[in-house]
Amino acid sequence: MHKMKLPYGRQDLDKTDLEAVVKVLESDYLTTGPIVPKFEDKIKHVTGAKFAIACSSGTSALHLACKAVGIRRGDWVIVPTITFLATANAVRYCEGNVIFCDVDPHTGLMTKETITASIAFAKKENLPPSLIMEEVARGRLIIPANINHLSLEPMAIGIASRCKVNANIGASPNASNIDEEVDKLKLAVKYGADTVMDLSTGGVNLDEVRQAIIHESPVPIGTVPVYQALESVHGSIDRLTEDDFLHIIEKHCQQGVDYQTIHAGLLIEHLPKVKGRITGIVSRGGGILAQWMLHHFKQNPLYTRFDDICEIFKKYDCSFSLGDSLRPGCLHDASDAAQLAELKTLGELTRRAWAHNVQVMVEGPGHVPMDQIEFNVRKQMEECSEAPFYVLGPLVTDISPGYDHISSAIGAAMAGWYGTSMLCYVTPKEHLGLPNAEDVREGLIAYKIAAHAADIARHRSGARDRDDELSHARY
């Protein structure tokens, strides 16, 4: 009898068994009339399932559809990534198992190729389907995958999956061009970056460089839209409007950006708390928003228009990376009242985004003494209802310019051990200048080691396999 290995689990089922339990859900087909039978026939042909069902993507409709076709505990459901939040909740309601699957960009349908790619994703994450389903529905795991990022190979960020590493690239008014940024992207992917952020601020056409990066990238791409919002008005805070922010945010979504850093947690009432800091506000995005609030005597527009941003993100399946505008820029400023006040607001925004069925991860510090790292991770989990935590470093000393990739990798390994989901790399050029190709390589190597050490410490499945193989080879 032919055996087929299930994508998320370790068990094998006979093909005849699989045919009996596979059921297919697809979005936006319930009201399309004659196309539904054709679609169901196509899916049955591709998967070998005995039957299929098409339904709308609303959570209530999915619940009804799951119940109507008799999905029960242990059944396998192939669902499109574009609707996975609502679908995961619906299938979870029936205690079924989920295989996430992309759709063909030309037909809008799941095909043999997209199903194969989804199986590869499942194997890469090495997690049982029930856990993936549970963690996504709970908000502890995200799959950043914009519907317009067609070259993407989906991945997951969350405490249940292995610790991920992000690499920052980007052009500035002083250096770089489109080809150089694409080369940096390819280098970052070569050395193991799980996601890449394009932090371009000028010197090139920002839309063109971003589109080139997205087109070439198999990993999720993140951006900080407030940078381009300011650039779009030639650096004039006075001319920068609320609608300018939202226009740039939607433009990034349309291009295929998978997650965006949104500095919505910084409120005008937080600004006096910065008094007494040595380094003040070191976040460039935070500094722009602080200037805007003080100049216009208004609340942060990313906070007041947050529900509008959620609706934009929902349309494109873009994920939030809630920015920590008040992250500490030195050890003296770590864990102060300003940082913790913003963190509390980030928790509120996390739950508001979830109410819109939008995925969220939360950014964190920064510069943190070793004895405060665990506190920072635990506090984020408490305030933000365990949404994935994404930290820069943290650096555990302030005296290592030129070697900050080493001092920060120490903090990163500890943060990953305590439960941080993704580490943003630091290069030897931190605090000194713009990184070149060799800096990107050194930063990524340091952080891949830190993330791997965290995976071993958290006893993640298979994390120590290569270590043991190397040890056996040595002796």
Side-chain angles (χ1 to χ4, degrees):
M1 180 69 71
H2 173 75
K3 293 281 188 177
M4 179 178 290
K5 187 166 181 62
L6 296 180
Y8 289 100
R10 297 181 176 178
Q11 69 220 76
D12 290 330
L13 284 183
D14 292 337
K15 188 174 186 294
T16 51
D17 295 331
L18 190 66
E19 290 172 347
V21 300
V22 171
K23 301 173 180 66
V24 181
L25 299 176
E26 177 59 60
S27 64
D28 303 326
Y29 281 89
L30 188 62
T31 59
T32 53
I35 198 171
V36 173
K38 295 179 182 178
F39 167 71
E40 292 176 344
D41 289 343
K42 180 179 180 68
I43 290 296
K44 284 188 285 188
H45 174 72
V46 169
T47 64
K50 289 183 177 178
F51 60 93
I53 183 169
C55 72
S56 68
S57 59
T59 303
S60 297
L62 287 168
H63 281 169
L64 292 173
C66 287
K67 292 176 71 175
V69 299
I71 292 177
R72 299 177 180 177
R73 179 183 297 190
D75 283 356
W76 290 83
V77 183
I78 299 178
V79 302
T81 306
I82 189 174
T83 60
F84 73 89
L85 271 176
T87 307
N89 277 311
V91 177
R92 176 174 177 266
Y93 180 81
C94 298
E95 300 185 77
N97 296 319
V98 175
I99 301 172
F100 293 120
C101 179
D102 287 337
V103 296
D104 182 279
H106 304 295
T107 65
L109 302 177
M110 293 181 288
T111 66
K112 188 172 184 177
E113 288 72 24
T114 61
I115 290 172
T116 301
S118 299
I119 291 173
F121 159 71
K123 289 180 178 178
K124 179 170 65 176
E125 292 299 334
N126 194 28
L127 294 172
S130 57
L131 182 60
I132 286 274
M133 179 177 57
E134 179 74 27
E135 292 297 290
V136 169
R138 173 66 177 74
R140 280 192 295 241
L141 186 141
I142 70 170
I143 302 174
N146 188 309
I147 60 173
N148 293 329
H149 188 173
L150 305 183
S151 59
L152 179 68
E153 297 172 6
M155 51 80 76
I157 302 169
I159 194 170
S161 66
R162 63 182 177 84
C163 190
K164 302 304 196 298
V165 173
N166 171 72
N168 291 336
I169 61 174
S172 77
N174 301 319
S176 196
N177 55 55
I178 292 178
D179 291 339
E180 187 175 338
E181 293 311 310
V182 171
D183 287 343
K184 286 182 189 176
L185 164 74
K186 293 178 179 178
L187 185 70
V189 173
K190 174 182 177 180
Y191 285 104
D194 297 291
T195 78
V196 171
M197 291 199 75
D198 170 24
L199 305 185
S200 297
T201 58
V204 293
N205 182 304
L206 297 182
D207 293 333
E208 289 181 2
V209 73
R210 186 183 316 111
Q211 195 66 69
I213 289 170
I214 292 168
H215 177 73
E216 294 289 338
S217 180
V219 302
I221 295 298
T223 59
V224 185
V226 68
Y227 296 171
Q228 188 176 12
L230 184 62
E231 191 265 353
S232 71
V233 294
H234 307 290
S236 172
I237 290 289
D238 181 61
R239 292 172 52 198
L240 187 59
T241 69
E242 294 184 9
D243 288 338
D244 289 330
F245 286 112
L246 268 66
H247 170 70
I248 296 299
I249 287 170
E250 181 147 25
K251 177 184 286 189
H252 286 210
C253 285
Q254 291 169 341
Q255 286 189 296
V257 171
D258 301 291
Y259 66 92
Q260 297 184 42
T261 295
I262 303 295
H263 297 85
L266 174 62
L267 304 182
I268 195 166
E269 55 264 36
H270 295 159
L271 298 182
K273 298 180 185 295
V274 176
K275 185 178 180 181
R277 281 188 164 190
I278 292 177
T279 55
I281 299 177
V282 297
S283 161
R284 185 169 187 268
I288 292 169
L289 267 301
Q291 282 183 291
W292 192 94
M293 289 187 283
L294 292 173
H295 180 83
H296 293 274
F297 300 103
K298 290 182 178 180
Q299 186 56 279
N300 182 348
L302 302 184
Y303 178 81
T304 58
R305 302 288 296 276
F306 189 74
D307 291 326
D308 295 330
I309 299 171
C310 286
E311 288 305 306
I312 294 172
F313 275 28
K314 186 176 181 179
K315 188 193 311 184
Y316 300 94
D317 205 359
C318 184
S319 300
F320 277 105
S321 183
L322 292 176
D324 56 334
S325 307
L326 297 178
R327 70 173 184 267
C330 65
L331 300 182
H332 173 275
D333 300 344
S335 311
D336 68 355
Q339 177 192 335
L340 297 181
E342 182 186 26
L343 181 60
K344 195 170 191 67
T345 306
L346 295 178
E348 171 206 329
L349 295 173
T350 295
R351 291 179 285 275
R352 283 172 62 183
W354 284 347
H356 289 268
N357 275 335
V358 178
Q359 301 183 96
V360 183
M361 62 181 170
V362 179
E363 296 183 13
H367 292 242
V368 181
M370 289 172 64
D371 62 306
Q372 295 181 27
I373 292 175
E374 182 177 12
F375 165 77
N376 273 263
V377 176
R378 303 296 181 209
K379 189 67 174 173
Q380 185 274 342
M381 290 181 177
E382 174 189 330
E383 295 287 359
C384 300
S385 304
E386 300 181 314
F389 201 21
Y390 165 34
V391 300
L392 174 66
L395 283 82
V396 295
T397 75
D398 292 339
I399 62 165
S400 54
Y403 303 92
D404 281 343
H405 61 305
I406 298 174
S407 63
S408 65
I410 296 169
M414 294 181 67
W417 176 23
Y418 293 130
T420 294
S421 300
M422 187 160 76
L423 312 172
C424 183
Y425 87 157
V426 172
T427 75
K429 283 293 200 307
E430 186 77 11
H431 300 114
L432 301 176
L434 296 172
N436 57 29
E438 181 59 22
D439 296 322
V440 170
R441 175 181 172 275
E442 289 193 25
L444 272 167
I445 290 173
Y447 270 70
K448 292 299 286 187
I449 293 171
H452 181 64
D455 288 339
I456 293 171
R458 291 195 67 84
H459 303 282
R460 291 193 169 106
S461 177
R464 211 184 66 192
D465 289 353
R466 288 184 299 152
D467 301 78
D468 291 345
E469 288 173 10
L470 181 59
S471 297
H472 285 301
R474 281 174 172 165
Y475 296 98

